[in-house]
Amino acid sequence: MLAIKNLAYRYPQAEKPALADVSLNTARGQILGLLGPNGAGKTTLISHLSGMLPVQQGGISVDGQPLAVIRRNTPTRIAVAPQEYAFYPMLTVLENLDCFASAGGLGGPRKQQRMTECLAFAQLERFAQTRAERLSGGLKRRLNLAIALLPEPELILLDEPTVGVDPQSRAFLLDAVKTLARNGAAVIYTSHYMEEIEAIADRVVILDDGKVLCDGTLDELLGGGAVRVLLGVEGVSGVALSALLDSFGTVTAAGVNWLVTLAPEKNPVALLAALEQAGGRVRYAEFGRSNLEQLFMTLTHRLLRD
């Protein structure tokens, strides 16, 4: 449904591009988890899709048509629920829905129907007459979502939709996002919460420094559930240690330690026994299946970002 090809963008006077040769695709009924540290380019990408930034280089298409054509002819096919609260605090929940429904071109019975449906979808019926500024953080996030859904968009952009909410509201919002995908929408979901992406995303894209570092399903990115062993070993020379570890799987350096993705027929017990037999002293060992946070930290080099 959405195809982004070789997208690049540089802000005026910027030393380097915010996006550099970004390509990705997503389909209807699919949740694409978009990850990246601060300054990775996520906001710039979302700003392109929501029409806030023009395309400088590359292309964005929806169902084979340029994004600019879609936004000009049928702008409500794409909706965004931003990280910031996007409603009028002095208006009630119902008044906000009324206002944004009108802004989205809805009227008559259809407008009333969509307001009722979105109010119910976000479970905000009890708060319909409550001023938005008096809602809790979780309710405000649900109002953000309800407003975005009013025109029945086909592509939904959710930018950090669970920031500052309680666990119950987070669980509700994640279930709501999965429901939107099951109903046929394409969803792009940005978050710093890795467990959220693991719970709901069909595919994951990690951006950093304006580039796509990886793109695939969780199984593809995490090695299909392969067991990984992180080791700190002394007493064995570097060449001998590398050769021994290579016989157990794929080896990468992890700072002063070694990360071994075990081959299917290998296991951590046998690896530790082989190290002991070779005269090695294991000063640190951690093993388990890969998770998204480990992958993210490895790819982005654990650097603190502003």
Side-chain angles (χ1 to χ4, degrees):
M1 185 250 189
L2 172 69
I4 300 173
K5 187 173 183 180
N6 306 123
L7 185 66
Y9 188 85
R10 185 190 295 268
Y11 289 99
Q13 284 79 53
E15 295 182 1
K16 59 182 182 179
L19 296 174
D21 199 32
V22 170
S23 297
L24 59 90
N25 301 284
T26 193
R28 283 180 174 80
Q30 187 177 76
I31 300 171
L32 175 67
L34 183 61
L35 293 171
N38 293 335
K42 302 187 304 298
T43 298
T44 301
L45 180 57
I46 294 295
S47 296
H48 275 84
L49 297 175
S50 61
M52 296 177 64
L53 288 176
V55 174
Q56 288 181 348
Q57 182 179 326
I60 305 174
S61 63
V62 176
D63 291 333
Q65 290 187 294
L67 178 65
V69 174
I70 296 293
R71 295 208 59 83
R72 183 171 63 248
N73 296 337
T74 52
T76 56
R77 290 178 66 185
I78 303 171
V80 58
Q83 181 177 345
E84 299 78 16
Y85 295 134
F87 48 74
Y88 294 103
M90 295 298 290
L91 299 182
T92 67
V93 167
L94 199 59
E95 288 169 342
N96 268 288
L97 291 176
D98 191 319
C99 175
F100 284 98
S102 297
L106 296 174
R110 180 62 178 153
K111 174 182 173 181
Q112 294 303 316
Q113 178 188 359
R114 287 303 297 154
M115 287 172 58
T116 300
E117 289 173 347
C118 291
L119 200 65
F121 183 84
Q123 295 186 16
L124 288 170
E125 297 100 326
R126 291 194 300 117
F127 306 95
Q129 302 304 326
T130 302
R131 285 197 346 207
E133 64 185 355
R134 296 178 179 172
L135 298 174
S136 67
L139 291 172
K140 288 176 179 177
R141 292 292 171 195
R142 282 151 61 181
L143 178 56
N144 251 19
L145 180 61
I147 289 170
L149 298 180
L150 282 167
E152 292 188 282
E154 300 170 40
L155 173 61
I156 304 168
L157 314 173
L158 302 177
D159 190 9
E160 301 281 349
T162 62
V163 170
V165 305
D166 59 87
Q168 290 82 3
S169 293
R170 175 171 286 114
F172 171 83
L173 287 166
L174 294 179
D175 286 341
V177 172
K178 288 188 284 188
T179 298
L180 293 171
R182 283 196 299 269
N183 290 342
V187 179
I188 295 181
Y189 188 102
T190 77
S191 179
H192 286 297
Y193 300 118
M194 306 292 167
E195 67 277 10
E196 291 186 1
I197 300 297
E198 287 192 89
I200 67 171
D202 300 295
R203 286 181 48 248
V204 177
V205 170
I206 297 179
L207 282 179
D208 196 15
D209 202 27
K211 303 179 182 67
V212 174
L213 300 185
C214 64
D215 178 0
T217 66
L218 281 171
D219 278 349
E220 290 169 344
L221 298 181
L222 301 181
V227 175
R228 291 153 55 103
V229 184
L230 184 64
L231 292 164
V233 181
E234 297 174 342
V236 183
S237 69
V239 174
L241 179 60
S242 179
L244 188 155
L245 296 179
D246 280 337
S247 68
F248 280 84
T250 303
V251 182
T252 54
V256 297
N257 298 324
W258 297 88
L259 181 63
V260 184
T261 302
L262 294 178
E265 70 278 6
K266 303 294 185 178
N267 65 74
V269 175
L271 173 57
L272 294 175
L275 287 168
E276 184 178 4
Q277 187 174 0
R281 297 185 301 277
V282 178
R283 57 178 178 77
Y284 177 83
E286 176 184 315
F287 69 91
R289 301 202 178 272
S290 306
N291 62 41
L292 195 54
E293 183 170 0
Q294 290 170 335
L295 175 66
F296 180 86
M297 297 299 282
T298 299
L299 290 174
T300 58
H301 306 297
R302 297 177 178 264
L303 297 176
L304 186 65
R305 311 300 173 89
D306 295 329

